[in-house]
Amino acid sequence: MGIIVPILFLVTGFLYSWISGDPDKTLGNTTMLAWASMISGILLTLIGLGARSGATQDAQGNTKRSKHDFFYIPVFVWGLLLGGLSIYFFVTKGKASPIEPAASETSPTTPPTAQLPTSRTVNLYNPTNEALTYIVADDTKDGLVSREEVAPQSFAKIELDEGTYLFSAYNGKKETLFTFPDKAFASDEAKYTKHKDDKGSFYQRIVKPSTKENDDYDEAWIVLDGKTSLLLVNVTSACYEDVTEAELKKADWVSGIQEEYDGRDMIEPLYNQFMKDKMISVVAPGDKLPTTVSKSDIVYLLVPFSGKGDKKAIVTQAVISARF
């Protein structure tokens, strides 16, 4: 039965690596060795003691106990040794890797660990023919965060820290065009948080930070009239260097619409939709498309849509205007 000693130790080490997801499977991983020694030590002690309790009698009536050992050391002793070894490993600090230099040997020029993003770009788009003013506020701490007038058919960019905010916009007559959270969306706990103070309860929109990947799209959009939708259209083929305007007119761009976003809420196109080995870019309304693309590029265009008119004609004209 002694052969069970190395088998059980290796199996418990493998199970630890598989369950924990620890990528380091070398013998220098003291965390893995500690758990493998502890679990196999307990099992081997019990198995070894159980095996020793078995006894047989020979023809002369003498009692004979079976011996179960590995390298002449009884199985139950191996269990005790591994148990003691696990205590030693648990006392020592963390995981030691023989290929990593000690902290004191690290080069002073080694760059610090990259910090995860803590903020996100939010675009405030004015699709109308008059100037509109937006307001961003945080009623839980700072009050007014930002106020700015946005020219017709253009947008402003702001950088917002991770948190919750109120958004609204008004025109030159001080008429409020929208305020959200809108009642139609406020119940979505993934997007809105309900706060309470001495004046009552209110909702604020959750703004999460950018993702750590650099080849995806994280910017958010707010349409200041509170009703114009934004269509996300795949226009990669319109960016080919030799494409002609006639070809763009014939193309079915409606089939390229990936999403239609409701203008009553903050729009987060492709947020957290990382695509491996692809470089994603989103072109804003009114901006020009790139004229060359690589095989890994995916280019989208945001097209305003009020819900009126021929969607196909509107999208086609937007693509042509952005390309030529």
Side-chain angles (χ1 to χ4, degrees), residues 307-324:
K308 300 177 181 178
D310 184 352
K311 182 181 288 186
K312 180 179 180 180
I314 292 172
V315 175
T316 300
Q317 184 56 48
V319 175
I320 294 173
S321 298
R323 179 61 176 81
F324 296 100

Side-chain angles (χ1 to χ4, degrees), residues 281-302:
S281 58
V282 177
V283 178
D287 284 355
K288 290 294 185 180
L289 297 178
T291 56
T292 57
V293 290
S294 66
K295 292 182 179 180
S296 62
D297 289 337
I298 302 178
V299 183
Y300 297 93
L301 176 66
L302 286 173

Side-chain angles (χ1 to χ4, degrees), residues 230-283:
L230 287 181
L231 308 176
L232 184 72
V233 187
N234 188 329
V235 294
T236 307
S237 60
C239 302
Y240 297 154
E241 190 173 2
D242 57 350
V243 73
T244 65
E245 185 172 343
E247 290 173 329
L248 297 187
K249 287 181 179 180
K250 294 179 181 179
D252 180 15
W253 295 108
V254 172
S255 63
I257 297 175
Q258 307 296 301
E259 194 73 49
E260 180 171 347
Y261 299 103
D262 196 315
R264 293 174 295 168
D265 189 17
M266 188 172 81
I267 297 167
E268 303 175 281
L270 303 176
Y271 180 60
N272 266 334
Q273 295 185 34
F274 176 71
M275 298 182 189
K276 186 178 180 181
D277 301 325
K278 297 293 182 181
M279 181 63 72
I280 300 171
S281 58
V282 177
V283 178

